[in-house]
């Protein structure tokens, strides 16, 4: 018990103390005085340089592989396919990473598929953020989250530490078949993923008339093929959701019918290479009906066909001052991952097909 | 009755543990159960939701209708338990589902829900309470 408490405190006291405790704990372990419940917690906490210790405990998770932060102009996008995570013991170890509140929320969820993707969403965000802390080992389990006054989730870095956490922004979205996390540095990000086959219970146009802007309704009404109309609706929904999540103030700050998102064709001059299916690049823009132009010109979008099964929308704030440089693509790297097990960079492959927006895949 | 429930939940909240509250619930009325249950979920009243909704006592028929709409929207299997305390997010509703549910409720009850209110609808009970409030306002 004392061991656990001592090790737990080290994350509050900081990096130097953490190292000291590591050595003390290692000494104790080598004496063979280990209790299994302590071992599980310790194996998670001692992520690096303790390979010999971990070999003794087959139930321990391997160390997290650190990842370099995105540069100021880059967006990182991570996703997990729940169907690829089959191991029950791995899922059980994942559950151990959750906070008590997250565990309780999970407990109350109904539906196995839904529960699994909800679990993976928490695991993905915790491990992803932990991996970016290359200066100091962060236990994904010790990360705390809070909400802004508007309800947007963010990391609650503990005060008083010697290291300064990077201004990392993240946003998550998931369906029952795909879990995603977007990461940027310095600028807010919002993402939304939706199954391509998603069907509304209500009529599309009735829904659009109720919630979308008049221009968007006009655009959807003009589509005669019901299947194409449904697809365009879902794409538009994900873009609008990503925007509201990036702005981070909830629906009431940006009611859906007060802004219009549309694609605008951009001339292909200049030095940028865009990955699109069409000969002309299309930029996605947002226009607000009750907002000064400045605010809406600051947002950059990307819309992707992800893993053949989902639409994924990404919205980030442009770094530059109001207006910003026109035609600069979003530099995007996409990974398919199974936390603690494997990463596969899929940007530029068939798993990530840009639909619209100025995108440069890295 | 509702006032009593709200005040009592304040007194009990700090010492609430899930196991303890189960014993308490067994001895109390169902109104109190709802108040404590609601309090237990959010430790503090959030900026958005008002747990001390003294006027909230939606008719059972309203709650029933809401449950039907939620069940239909989320295509819940028959064995899934659905009560007034059921949280949409725990049932597997994402934001699109929630907006669809709100739209269906508007059509069913002939009301209009403002965006900022629709954000606050997270459970069946909250939906039912808001519906009754809006229906009353419309009738007035």
């Amino acid at each position: 018990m004392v061991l656990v408490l001592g090790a737990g405190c080290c994350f509050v006291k900081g990096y130097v103390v953490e190292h000291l405790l590591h050595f003390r704990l290692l000494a104790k372990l080598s004496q063979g005085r280990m209790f299994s419940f302590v071992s599980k917690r310790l194996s998670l906490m001692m992520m690096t340089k303790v390979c010999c210790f971990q070999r003794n405990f087959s139930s321990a998770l391997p160390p997290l592989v650190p990842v370099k932060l995105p540069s100021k102009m880059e967006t990182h996008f991570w996703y997990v396919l729940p169907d690829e995570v089959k191991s029950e013991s791995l899922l059980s170890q994942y559950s151990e990473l959750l906070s008590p509140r997250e565990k309780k929320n999970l407990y109350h969820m109904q539906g196995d598929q839904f529960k699994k993707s909800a679990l993976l969403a928490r695991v993905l965000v915790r491990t992803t953020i932990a991996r970016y802390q290359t200066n100091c080992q962060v236990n994904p389990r010790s990360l705390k989250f809070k909400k802004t006054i508007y309800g947007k989730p963010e990391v609650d870095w503990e005060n008083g530490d010697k290291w300064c956490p990077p201004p990392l922004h993240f946003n998550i979205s998931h369906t029952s078949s795909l879990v995603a996390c977007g990461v940027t540095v310095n600028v807010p990000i919002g993402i939304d993923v939706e199954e391509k086959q998603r069907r509304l219970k209500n009529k599309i146009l009735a829904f659009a008339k109720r919630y979308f802007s008049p221009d968007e309704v006009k655009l959807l009404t003009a589509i005669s093929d019901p299947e194409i109309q449904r697809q365009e609706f879902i794409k538009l929904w994900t873009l609008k959701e990503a925007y509201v999540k990036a702005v981070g103030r909830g629906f009431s700050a940006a009611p859906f019918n007060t802004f219009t998102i549309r694609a605008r064709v951009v001339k292909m001059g200049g030095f940028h290479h865009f990955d699109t299916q069409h000969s002309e690049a299309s930029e996605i823009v947002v226009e607000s009906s009750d907002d000064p132009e400045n605010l809406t010109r600051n947002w950059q979008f990307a819309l992707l066909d992800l893993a053949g099964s989902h639409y994924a929308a990404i919205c980030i704030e442009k770094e530059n001052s109001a207006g910003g440089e026109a035609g600069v693509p979003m530099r995007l790297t996409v990974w398919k991952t199974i936390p603690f097990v494997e990463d596969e960079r899929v940007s530029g492959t068939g798993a990530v097909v840009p639909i619209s927006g100025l995108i440069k895949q890295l | 009755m509702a006032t009593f429930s709200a005040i009592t939940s304040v007194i009990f909240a700090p010492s609430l543990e899930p196991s303890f509250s189960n014993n308490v619930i067994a001895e109390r009325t169902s109104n109190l159960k709802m108040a404590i249950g609601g309090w237990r979920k959010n430790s503090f009243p959030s900026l958005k939701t008002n747990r001390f909704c003294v006027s909230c006592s939606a008719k059972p028929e309203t709650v029933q209708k809401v449950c039907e709409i939620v069940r239909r929207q989320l295509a819940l299997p028959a064995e899934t338990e659905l009560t007034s305390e059921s949280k949409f997010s725990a049932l597997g509703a994402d934001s699109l589902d929630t907006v669809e549910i709100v739209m269906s409720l508007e059509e069913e009850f002939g009301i209009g829900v403002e965006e900022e209110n629709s954000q606050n609808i997270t459970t069946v009970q909250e939906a039912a309470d808001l519906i009754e409030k809006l229906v009353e306002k419309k009738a007035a």
Side-chain angles (χ1 to χ4, degrees), chain A residues 211-227:
Chain A
Y211 288 107
F212 285 7
S213 75
D215 283 337
E216 288 167 342
V217 174
K218 229 190 306 189
L219 185 139
L220 287 171
T221 310
I223 303 172
S224 51
D225 183 327
E227 177 55 18

Side-chain angles (χ1 to χ4, degrees), chain A residues 97-127:
Chain A
L97 298 179
L98 268 46
S99 69
R101 174 186 274 237
E102 287 168 342
K103 280 186 195 158
K104 204 165 92 154
N105 286 344
L106 207 67
Y107 177 76
H108 286 121
M109 284 180 190
Q110 313 228 22
D112 290 334
Q113 190 70 1
F114 174 64
K115 223 165 168 147
K116 187 178 177 186
S117 66
L119 166 64
L120 290 171
R122 295 318 303 164
V123 170
L124 180 62
V125 72
R126 283 179 172 274
T127 55

Side-chain angles (χ1 to χ4, degrees), chain A residues 101 104 108-110 114 149 194 198-202 206-207 210-211 233 237 241 250-252 255-257, chain B residues 40 43 47 72-73 80-81 89-92 94-97 99-100 102-104 106-107 113 115-116 119:
Chain A
R101 174 186 274 237
K104 204 165 92 154
H108 286 121
M109 284 180 190
Q110 313 228 22
F114 174 64
I149 194 170
E194 204 54 73
R198 177 76 181 252
R199 305 209 114 68
L200 282 194
K201 290 290 188 295
N202 295 287
F207 186 100
R210 172 64 185 85
Y211 288 107
F233 170 85
W237 172 269
E241 267 284 284
F251 278 122
S252 45
F256 266 27
N257 59 7
Chain B
R40 193 164 18 107
S43 309
L47 288 170
R72 194 171 61 221
Q73 174 66 37
T80 305
E81 191 198 317
S89 56
L91 295 166
D94 61 14
S95 49
L96 184 50
D97 287 312
V99 176
E100 283 218 81
V102 170
M103 185 169 158
S104 301
E106 287 182 334
E107 285 178 356
V113 179
E115 309 268 353
E116 51 264 27
Q119 249 181 269

Side-chain angles (χ1 to χ4, degrees), chain B residues 61-114:
Chain B
E61 309 92 77
T62 311
V63 173
Q64 188 56 34
K65 199 79 215 159
V66 173
C67 283
E68 270 172 41
I69 287 172
V70 170
R71 198 174 273 280
R72 194 171 61 221
Q73 174 66 37
L74 303 179
L76 298 174
E79 56 267 18
T80 305
E81 191 198 317
L82 194 53
T83 69
S84 59
E85 277 180 60
S86 297
K87 272 192 122 171
F88 298 158
S89 56
L91 295 166
D94 61 14
S95 49
L96 184 50
D97 287 312
T98 307
V99 176
E100 283 218 81
I101 288 170
V102 170
M103 185 169 158
S104 301
L105 294 174
E106 287 182 334
E107 285 178 356
E108 178 70 33
F109 293 96
I111 48 171
V113 179
E114 295 302 311

Side-chain angles (χ1 to χ4, degrees), chain A residues 29-45:
Chain A
L29 295 174
S30 63
Q31 287 167 27
R33 286 193 280 164
M34 275 306 292
F35 303 100
S36 60
F37 67 89
V38 172
S39 79
K40 276 204 182 137
R41 278 155 177 75
L42 289 176
S43 65
L44 280 174
M45 283 190 261

Side-chain angles (χ1 to χ4, degrees), chain B:
Chain B
M1 224 1 171
T3 318
F4 167 75
S5 305
I7 292 171
T8 316
S9 64
V10 173
I11 296 165
F12 279 102
S15 59
L16 262 180
E17 294 296 323
S19 54
F20 170 76
S21 65
N22 279 338
N23 296 330
V24 174
I25 284 168
E27 299 164 25
R28 307 280 181 163
T29 65
S30 58
N31 274 352
L32 192 51
K33 175 184 178 177
M34 249 191 313
I36 287 186
W39 184 250
R40 193 164 18 107
K41 286 193 178 80
N42 294 340
S43 309
F44 300 100
S46 71
L47 288 170
K48 293 183 287 184
T49 64
N50 178 16
R51 291 285 167 197
F52 303 113
C53 176
V54 185
S55 61
C56 62
S57 48
K59 295 196 274 290
E61 309 92 77
T62 311
V63 173
Q64 188 56 34
K65 199 79 215 159
V66 173
C67 283
E68 270 172 41
I69 287 172
V70 170
R71 198 174 273 280
R72 194 171 61 221
Q73 174 66 37
L74 303 179
L76 298 174
E79 56 267 18
T80 305
E81 191 198 317
L82 194 53
T83 69
S84 59
E85 277 180 60
S86 297
K87 272 192 122 171
F88 298 158
S89 56
L91 295 166
D94 61 14
S95 49
L96 184 50
D97 287 312
T98 307
V99 176
E100 283 218 81
I101 288 170
V102 170
M103 185 169 158
S104 301
L105 294 174
E106 287 182 334
E107 285 178 356
E108 178 70 33
F109 293 96
I111 48 171
V113 179
E114 295 302 311
E115 309 268 353
E116 51 264 27
N117 285 330
S118 68
Q119 249 181 269
N120 292 345
I121 299 179
T122 62
T123 66
V124 169
Q125 187 65 48
E126 284 170 0
D129 293 342
L130 183 62
I131 288 163
E132 298 228 331
K133 199 166 83 172
L134 293 171
V135 165
E136 257 179 61
K137 217 162 63 168
K138 196 174 144 195

